[in-house]
Amino acid sequence: MDRSNGYEAVSEEFLAGRGSRSRSAGIGVKEVRKWARTLPRGSSVIDLGCGSGFPITAVLVDEGLHVFGVDAAPSFVAAFQRNLPGTPIICEAIQESRFFDRTFDAVLAWGLMFLLKSEDQHPLIQRFAEIVVLGGSLLFTSTDQPFGTMQ
Amino acid sequence: MTGSESLSRGAGQYGKLLGAVGISVAEECEDEGENRYFDAFKGKIELRESLP
């Protein structure tokens, strides 16, 4: 059963596009870099739905943060390990992940939330609160107006 | 690309859900891809204001 919201099936196309090093200046890079620079160097950050590590996770690494990744697509995890060797990553569905069984100074979920079903979004927000330390940061994307098939 | 439909609650509802679990939204902005993003933190606004 695919737990990657369809990304594993299109991984080759994705990895050649946004997930490639050549797209390191893609959408979100500027915003994530700005956020990353508000965090003390060495802060622990978990990137949920990190994909290949490009372009977003690489920004966190560049900014001197202690980065962890989670992605459900095996092809993306393999690419991440090639792109950012030494950066911990687990291949788990976000909905079921144990998030390394630890807390973090910051949580990033860029381009993730609106891929999840309605019933998975609320529990994930609860998990945000559980895995980030008091005073810790959270950055995530949604869209401005409700749409899709949600009730 | 995946053929999956995007599912968004909209900015206001996310703010309420975050507040219910003790997360405060410091800033809401939009990136060049017209994605709304939330810069938030765990705790009350006063907590962040007290940090160096």
Side-chain angles (χ1 to χ4, degrees), chain A residues 11-12 14-24 47 50-62 67 71 73-89:
Chain A
S11 61
E12 191 171 338
F14 189 90
L15 290 171
R18 179 170 169 81
S20 71
R21 185 181 290 274
S22 63
R23 297 289 298 273
S24 59
D47 184 358
C50 58
S52 71
F54 292 148
I56 298 297
T57 322
V59 171
L60 306 177
V61 173
D62 288 347
V67 183
D71 203 283
S75 296
F76 286 176
V77 170
F80 184 103
Q81 290 170 325
R82 290 193 300 272
N83 293 336
L84 299 171
T87 302
I89 182 170

Side-chain angles (χ1 to χ4, degrees), chain A residues 32-124:
Chain A
V32 171
R33 190 176 300 283
K34 177 183 174 186
W35 175 74
R37 288 179 175 172
T38 69
L39 306 172
R41 289 181 74 84
S43 295
S44 57
V45 184
I46 188 165
D47 184 358
L48 308 181
C50 58
S52 71
F54 292 148
I56 298 297
T57 322
V59 171
L60 306 177
V61 173
D62 288 347
E63 295 300 327
L65 303 172
H66 185 198
V67 183
F68 299 77
V70 181
D71 203 283
S75 296
F76 286 176
V77 170
F80 184 103
Q81 290 170 325
R82 290 193 300 272
N83 293 336
L84 299 171
T87 302
I89 182 170
I90 48 175
C91 187
E92 294 178 345
I94 295 299
Q95 301 93 321
E96 299 153 6
S97 178
R98 296 175 63 93
F99 301 123
F100 295 89
D101 289 316
R102 55 163 291 169
T103 56
F104 300 88
D105 298 313
V107 175
L108 176 66
W110 198 267
L112 170 70
M113 186 67 78
F114 46 74
L115 300 176
L116 302 178
K117 295 177 181 175
S118 172
E119 59 266 30
D120 291 331
Q121 293 190 26
H122 194 178
L124 180 59

Side-chain angles (χ1 to χ4, degrees), chain A residues 5-7 10 13-14 27 31 35 110 113-114 116-118 121-122 125-126 128-129 132-150, chain B residues 1-2 4-14 17-18 20-23 27-44 47-48 51:
Chain A
N5 290 89
Y7 275 92
V10 297
E13 180 184 357
F14 189 90
I27 290 172
E31 291 79 8
W35 175 74
W110 198 267
M113 186 67 78
F114 46 74
L116 302 178
K117 295 177 181 175
S118 172
Q121 293 190 26
H122 194 178
I125 288 173
Q126 178 67 51
F128 286 162
V132 71
V133 300
L134 184 63
S137 291
L138 165 68
L139 188 69
F140 79 96
T141 48
S142 73
T143 55
D144 194 26
Q145 298 297 323
F147 64 93
T149 58
M150 296 179 57
Chain B
M1 181 182 287
T2 65
S4 298
E5 186 172 14
S6 293
L7 301 170
S8 176
R9 292 174 179 272
Q13 193 171 354
Y14 283 118
L17 289 172
L18 291 165
V21 297
I23 294 176
E27 187 178 19
E28 290 181 42
C29 295
E30 196 170 281
D31 71 10
E32 57 196 290
E34 300 184 348
N35 297 302
R36 196 79 176 167
Y37 66 93
F38 293 78
D39 183 356
F41 63 96
K42 184 175 175 178
K44 296 185 181 301
L47 174 64
R48 175 163 282 196
L51 295 175

